[in-house]
């Protein structure tokens, strides 16, 4: 569980790759593993399989240990056991990643109390948690913010039995679901997020005995009078649709063909339909997709939206691909207010991108030129890897910890496909 080893890497060197033939297996979803780890606070013994070992999940395991849980990680399975001995999430861990906010819901669902740090924003936006707090206020919780910590105490009974989010928020929805485990009886949530990772958490909570049904963006949540089931919960993390999408983009540029395995095609409908629009040929099977590169790719227009719309987490990867498409593409980023930082880095490599507010206009160029660049956030770093693979000359991506937060063994996976990428320390 040594995240220090991953943090010791400072850069990734990426050499041009002419073509990729072969197959790659996608890891479990980071953004599902994180709420599931928070949910492991709700019961005595949990085993998660298809668990992705990467910076954010290693940080989350450290937090669970700090809260009193015993952790046993072997390969891509992790066992979490024991009782909670503290409800305070340590600042030095929670400030490292946004997903730590999920321990607010996990602790409240398990104990009715929580002390978590105000999660820092990050480069893609201010990342407010007003909706998380508005939900807790509606329940009648005591909430105080003291020296950077949010201290919350739930009432014995909720003041309301329904709540409507003003904004569709993934971790806001997940925190509400985790918290509601605390109260017996029925609760209705409206305007919820429906990302596959939210559904994966719902499947886990059902194994604890919670009855959950939903209609559109409304959820009916019911905890039976005798509370949660006891005993071990075994759960397999869903495939990471964003890692899968990232490899599909690489296949669109270099695949001859590239087979991306262990994915859930239904989670990738918006991404697949946009890939078809750029002109690539895809063979979709039950749990894999084969992608054949297309030259030149066609320029397109895309807008990010909450699931099942086009995922904001795939926007940067598409921008790298569209920077060498034929024609002018337009990307509208509707979710985060500052999620175009990769555009500046791609421009260093010769991309022709103009940013106007939440709109990026990408004029396709013949080729990109390798250069030293900085990763600014997780998916931006993925876009720079993609750009480096198709550029002429070598690219060095600094601040590479951003990439290692959300992609498991990305260097090994790319090199097994015949690419040449190397993590470096000095
Ligand atoms: C989750 O972040 C993901 N992270 C993000 O993935 C993903 O980009 C995002 O959902 C959108 O799909 C995890 O699941 C750990 P939001 P989250 O709350 O929950 C506004 C990655 O690369 N908002 O759905 O923090 C917010 O500002 C990461 O893996 C409020 O206004 O995102 C944003 O504009 C990056 N008030 C929009 O809603 C709130 O209280 C969506 O944010 C909460 C959110």
């Amino acid at each position: 569980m040594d995240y220090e080893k991953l943090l010791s890497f400072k850069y990734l060197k990426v050499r041009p790759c002419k073509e990729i033939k072969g197959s790659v297996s996608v890891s479990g979803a980071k953004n599902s593993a994180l709420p599931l780890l928070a949910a492991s606070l709700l019961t005595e013994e949990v085993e998660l399989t298809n668990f992705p070992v990467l910076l954010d999940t290693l940080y989350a395991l450290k937090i669970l240990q700090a809260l009193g849980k015993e952790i046993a990680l072997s390969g891509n399975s992790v066992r979490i056991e024991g009782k909670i001995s503290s409800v305070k999430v340590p600042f030095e861990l929670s400030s490292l990643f946004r997903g730590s906010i999920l321990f607010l819901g996990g602790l409240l669902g398990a104990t009715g109390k929580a002390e978590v740090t105000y999660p820092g924003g990050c480069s893609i936006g201010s990342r407010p948690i007003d909706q998380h707090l508005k939900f807790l206020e509606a329940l009648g919780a005591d909430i105080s913010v003291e020296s950077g910590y949010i201290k919350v105490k739930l009432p014995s009974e909720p003041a309301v039995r329904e709540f409507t989010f003003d904004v569709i928020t993934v971790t806001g929805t997940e925190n509400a679901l985790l918290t509601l485990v605390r109260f017996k009886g029925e609760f209705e949530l409206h305007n919820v997020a429906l990302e596959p990772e939210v559904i994966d958490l719902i499947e886990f909570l059902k194994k604890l005995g919670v009855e959950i049904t939903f209609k559109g963006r409304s959820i009916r949540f019911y905890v039976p009078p005798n509370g949660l089931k006891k005993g071990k919960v075994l759960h397999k993390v869903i495939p990471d649709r964003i890692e899968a999408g990232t490899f599909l983009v690489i296949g669109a540029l270099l695949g001859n063909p590239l087979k991306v395995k262990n994915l859930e095609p239904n989670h990738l409908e918006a991404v697949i339909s946009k890939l078809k629009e750029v002109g690539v040929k895809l063979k979709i099977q039950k749990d894999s997709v084969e992608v054949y590169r297309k030259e030149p790719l066609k320029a397109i227009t895309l807008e990010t939206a909450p699931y099942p719309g086009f995922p904001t987490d795939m926007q940067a990867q598409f921008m790298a691909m569209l920077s060498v498409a034929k024609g002018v593409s337009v990307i509208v980023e509707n979710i985060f207010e500052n999620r175009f930082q990769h555009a500046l880095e791609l421009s260093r490599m010769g991309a022709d991108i103009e940013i106007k507010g939440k709109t990026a206009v990408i004029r396709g160029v013949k080729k990109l030129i390798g250069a030293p660049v900085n990763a600014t956030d997780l998916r931006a770093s993925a876009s720079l890897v993609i750009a480096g693979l198709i550029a002429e000359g070598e690219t060095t991506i600094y601040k590479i910890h951003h990439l290692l937060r959300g992609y498991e063994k990305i260097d090994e996976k790319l090199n097994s496909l015949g690419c040449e990428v190397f993590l470096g320390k000095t």
Side-chain angles (χ1 to χ4, degrees):
M1 245 192 325
D2 56 346
Y3 58 77
E4 285 86 2
K5 177 168 172 293
L6 284 175
L7 279 176
S8 66
F9 294 115
K10 299 296 173 226
Y11 60 80
L12 180 77
K13 273 197 189 311
V14 182
R15 299 226 170 99
C17 182
K18 283 283 156 277
E19 75 164 18
I20 286 180
K21 271 183 192 255
S23 62
V24 65
S25 281
V26 171
S27 297
K30 160 182 91 83
N31 289 347
S32 179
L34 293 174
L36 291 171
L37 288 174
S40 73
L41 291 165
L42 301 170
T43 185
E44 294 265 304
E45 195 186 346
V46 170
E47 179 168 359
L48 299 178
T49 56
N50 199 34
F51 179 80
V53 179
L54 34 81
L55 273 178
D56 276 13
T57 54
L58 289 171
Y59 293 149
L61 290 176
K62 274 281 180 207
I63 288 178
L64 284 171
Q65 280 180 315
L67 298 176
K69 289 285 187 177
E70 278 130 54
I71 306 292
L73 175 64
S74 68
N76 288 104
S77 291
V78 63
R79 282 211 333 275
I80 304 117
E81 298 174 0
K83 291 192 181 316
I84 296 170
S85 57
S86 161
V87 295
K88 181 167 182 170
V89 180
F91 171 80
E92 63 277 15
L93 289 169
S94 65
S95 56
L96 293 169
F97 66 121
R98 286 276 311 163
S100 61
I101 191 61
L102 290 159
F103 286 98
L104 173 63
L107 283 167
L108 289 175
T111 70
K113 288 186 285 192
E115 286 184 48
V116 297
T117 48
Y118 223 94
C122 63
S123 59
I124 62 176
S126 58
R127 312 296 293 277
I129 57 166
D130 57 293
Q131 295 295 306
H132 300 239
L133 300 178
K134 191 174 172 193
F135 166 73
L136 296 175
E137 278 154 18
L139 294 180
D142 285 337
I143 302 174
S144 60
V145 182
E146 282 159 38
S147 52
Y149 273 88
I150 308 166
K151 285 186 169 181
V152 184
K153 190 173 179 321
L154 288 183
S156 50
E157 281 298 313
V160 295
R161 286 281 171 178
E162 75 172 304
F163 177 80
T164 302
F165 285 100
D166 306 322
V167 173
I168 295 173
T169 158
V170 174
T171 48
T173 301
E174 290 164 346
N175 260 343
L177 293 168
L178 290 162
T179 303
L180 286 173
V181 163
R182 190 76 188 152
F183 302 117
K184 292 189 176 58
E186 182 167 318
F187 200 100
E188 297 251 324
L189 281 174
H190 303 291
N191 201 25
V192 299
L194 294 170
E195 271 66 3
E197 295 77 27
V198 176
I199 308 303
D200 204 22
L201 173 63
I202 285 173
E203 289 312 310
F204 180 93
L205 295 176
K206 283 179 178 173
K207 293 177 182 174
L208 283 174
V210 184
E211 293 167 27
I212 304 173
T213 52
F214 45 96
K215 202 156 113 280
R217 287 192 183 276
S218 290
I219 285 180
R220 178 186 172 278
F221 193 96
Y222 177 70
V223 178
N226 50 6
L228 302 183
K229 284 183 192 156
K230 298 277 174 248
K232 177 174 174 179
V233 177
L234 178 62
H235 190 85
K236 182 180 181 189
V237 180
I238 56 169
D240 192 317
R241 61 193 167 99
I242 305 302
E243 182 190 13
T246 304
F247 277 109
L248 290 177
V249 166
I250 292 172
L253 290 157
L254 296 164
N256 195 15
L258 169 61
K259 185 171 190 175
V260 186
K261 300 189 304 187
N262 297 346
L263 55 71
E264 173 52 72
N266 300 334
H267 294 166
L268 283 154
E269 279 175 8
V271 171
I272 286 170
S273 96
K274 282 297 172 186
L275 284 171
K276 286 178 178 166
E277 241 186 273
V278 299
V280 295
K281 193 175 106 200
L282 300 151
K283 262 194 211 153
I284 299 164
Q285 278 113 6
K286 188 170 140 319
D287 64 354
S288 67
V289 174
E290 245 176 351
V291 51
Y292 294 74
R293 74 177 167 191
K294 170 86 171 47
E295 271 180 284
L297 295 167
K298 286 187 215 129
I300 59 167
T301 294
L302 71 83
E303 295 219 22
T304 64
Y307 191 88
F310 187 89
T312 174
D313 290 353
M314 281 300 303
Q315 177 257 107
Q317 299 89 316
F318 263 65
M319 188 182 282
M321 173 177 71
L322 295 171
S323 68
V324 292
K326 190 169 168 44
V328 181
S329 298
V330 175
I331 294 181
V332 182
E333 171 56 64
N334 291 311
I335 306 294
F336 289 109
E337 70 268 25
N338 184 28
R339 200 172 197 173
F340 283 140
Q341 298 192 68
H342 40 283
L344 176 76
E345 301 303 315
L346 291 169
S347 308
R348 273 190 228 279
M349 300 174 71
D352 178 353
I353 304 167
E354 197 186 342
I355 306 294
K356 296 178 199 155
K358 65 179 194 171
T359 300
V361 177
I362 303 113
R363 289 176 180 75
V365 294
K366 274 248 163 301
K367 63 178 186 296
L368 298 178
I369 311 296
V373 290
N374 275 328
T376 49
D377 63 82
L378 169 51
R379 307 304 169 180
S381 47
S383 80
L384 296 173
V385 173
I386 294 167
L389 290 173
I390 57 171
E392 195 175 271
E394 185 173 272
T395 297
T396 305
I397 306 169
Y398 293 96
K399 300 186 183 167
I400 202 58
H401 62 277
H402 288 291
L403 183 72
L404 303 177
R405 281 192 43 215
Y407 287 90
E408 184 182 39
K409 296 182 182 157
I410 182 82
D411 54 331
E412 292 175 28
K413 288 174 179 171
L414 287 170
N415 290 337
S416 72
L417 292 169
C419 301
E420 291 179 281
V421 302
F422 312 98
L423 283 167
K425 295 189 178 180
T426 48

